[in-house]
Amino acid sequence: MLSRSNAGERTGPAGWLLRAVTAAHTTVVVGQPVFAGVYLSGDFDALRWHELNANNTTCLSYVQLIVAAVLWAGSRRSWPFFGTLAVVVAEAVQYFAGLKGALWLHLPLGVTTIAGIVILTIAVWRTPFPRRTKRDQEDGDE
């Protein structure tokens, strides 16, 4: 269990921003199968909603990648960046597979991508991301 009393373990602003972006990203991603299901139920307008939400998902994934890079620079934690990069790549493949109508790839990759972003979001929320101290920065320069 994480200790809340240690001030050195408190999450800094970049960590909180990453948490907010991953939560928003997860929320938007979970909407994708909902819109696809509505479309498959016969409401053909839902395909447009699925496309618009895919664009929102893509934008949020790039924002998340930038925030994860800032966090990496400020806290020396690289795993959020590389986890987000994996999600960005999967979403890019997912996006183009959907545009091409390659449902054999689009559907299973969608399930995998949703699972990946949910797991990443949980990990980000469970991990403290303290700011680097002056001493940490000086040690890194040596």
Side-chain angles (χ1 to χ4, degrees):
M1 186 164 164
L2 298 175
S3 170
R4 301 277 183 211
S5 63
N6 187 349
E9 288 297 306
R10 289 199 179 135
T11 297
W16 280 106
L17 183 57
L18 182 63
R19 287 175 176 178
V21 172
T22 58
H25 188 186
T26 299
T27 302
V28 173
V29 163
V30 169
Q32 281 302 89
V34 173
F35 294 130
V38 172
Y39 167 70
L40 293 173
S41 296
D43 184 351
F44 298 111
D45 292 334
L47 187 59
R48 179 73 177 134
W49 286 100
H50 185 71
E51 179 186 359
L52 289 171
N53 199 50
N55 293 334
N56 292 336
T57 299
T58 301
C59 289
L60 277 172
S61 70
Y62 293 137
V63 169
Q64 183 175 324
L65 189 65
I66 292 166
V67 174
V70 169
L71 179 78
W72 183 7
S75 73
R76 291 190 186 174
R77 301 255 174 111
S78 62
W79 68 263
F81 176 81
F82 289 111
T84 299
L85 183 61
V87 168
V88 167
V89 169
E91 286 180 353
V93 172
Q94 170 76 359
Y95 188 89
F96 290 109
L99 287 177
K100 294 291 183 186
L103 297 181
W104 62 269
L105 177 61
H106 188 71
L107 294 174
L109 185 57
V111 172
T112 304
T113 303
I114 290 170
I117 188 62
V118 167
I119 290 168
L120 182 61
T121 300
I122 291 168
V124 164
W125 276 89
R126 291 182 51 96
T127 305
F129 295 107
R131 294 182 198 171
R132 281 175 43 189
T133 64
K134 288 252 190 220
R135 182 175 179 195
D136 291 338
Q137 292 171 355
E138 290 169 2
D139 289 346
D141 293 337
E142 290 182 315

